[in-house]
Amino acid sequence: MKRGAAGLPPFLTDMKPSLVLIGFMGAGKTSVANRLAKLYDYSAVDLDTLIEEASGMSIEAIFAAFGEVGFRELERQQLAQLDLREGRVLSTGGGVVTQERNWPLLQRCGTVVYLRASLTTLLQRIGSGRGRPLALKGEEHLVELLESRLPKYENADIVIDTDGRTPDEVAREIMRMMEQRKR
Ligand code: S3P
């Protein structure tokens, strides 16, 4: 592949598009965002971290104090406050897609990429569910949650299968797909 001035693929030297990673808990959004930051000099921003910083509370504490409704409100506020920027990869919480009104906000932040994984992979990665209040209600609840969200995730601009792939491989695949979209 021809390389640009900084050794980056030409489409990245033209203008660095921003990316938004969506997907269920355990899809690997944060790890892939960090990998994109390392490989392609993206600035990685995590929506849950922004919520925790703004509220001064952990995600678990927010759910305990205000419930899911309160958490979704904080999530929306942080999303709405994000400025537009080149070269940023935003990792989001798995439930951000459940609010229809969040979609325009996600899309304005960049190309929306769905990290898809099978139920088996997700359950393995979620493990005991520590730190994820909605994962503590048992496997049956997780399956229901996943099924209700699947059609929403599929609205993404790009879908990437992550089963059996490392964050590094997924990050490189995202960039390959981005390059194809430019052609
Ligand atoms: C949630 C996923 C979590 C976090 C919160 C709610 C969800 O983020 O935003 O616990 O509704 O699926 P991860 O997807 O990073 O675990």
Side-chain angles (χ1 to χ4, degrees), residues 13 32 34 43 69 90 98 111 125 127 146 170:
T13 52
V32 171
N34 291 335
S43 71
V69 173
L90 174 70
T98 58
T111 306
R125 292 189 191 147
L146 177 63
V170 173

Side-chain angles (χ1 to χ4, degrees), residues 2-14 16 38-41:
K2 250 174 60 194
R3 298 271 156 180
L8 297 167
F11 78 99
L12 279 180
T13 52
D14 295 342
K16 217 159 161 184
K38 273 241 159 66
L39 282 172
Y40 301 101
D41 200 23

Side-chain angles (χ1 to χ4, degrees), residues 117-118 121 125 161-166 169-170:
S118 66
T121 299
R125 292 189 191 147
D161 282 308
T162 68
D163 279 351
R165 285 173 159 170
T166 63
E169 288 165 343
V170 173

Side-chain angles (χ1 to χ4, degrees), residues 23-26 29-30 48 59 63 68 71-72 75 92-95 131-134 149:
F24 202 65
M25 292 172 261
K29 295 159 295 200
T30 310
D48 279 349
I59 300 296
F63 268 80
E68 184 174 352
F71 171 77
R72 295 289 166 223
E75 185 177 52
T92 59
R132 290 175 163 128
L134 295 181
R149 291 178 181 178

Side-chain angles (χ1 to χ4, degrees), residues 22 97 99-107 112 152 155-156:
I22 63 167
V97 298
Q99 312 283 299
E100 205 53 53
R101 57 193 188 146
N102 284 346
W103 273 95
L105 298 174
L106 292 169
Q107 284 159 335
V112 181
K152 302 180 198 288
N155 287 329

Side-chain angles (χ1 to χ4, degrees), residues 53-75:
E53 284 170 1
S55 62
M57 295 166 80
S58 69
I59 300 296
E60 287 155 295
I62 295 169
F63 268 80
F66 311 119
E68 184 174 352
V69 173
F71 171 77
R72 295 289 166 223
E73 196 45 47
L74 294 173
E75 185 177 52

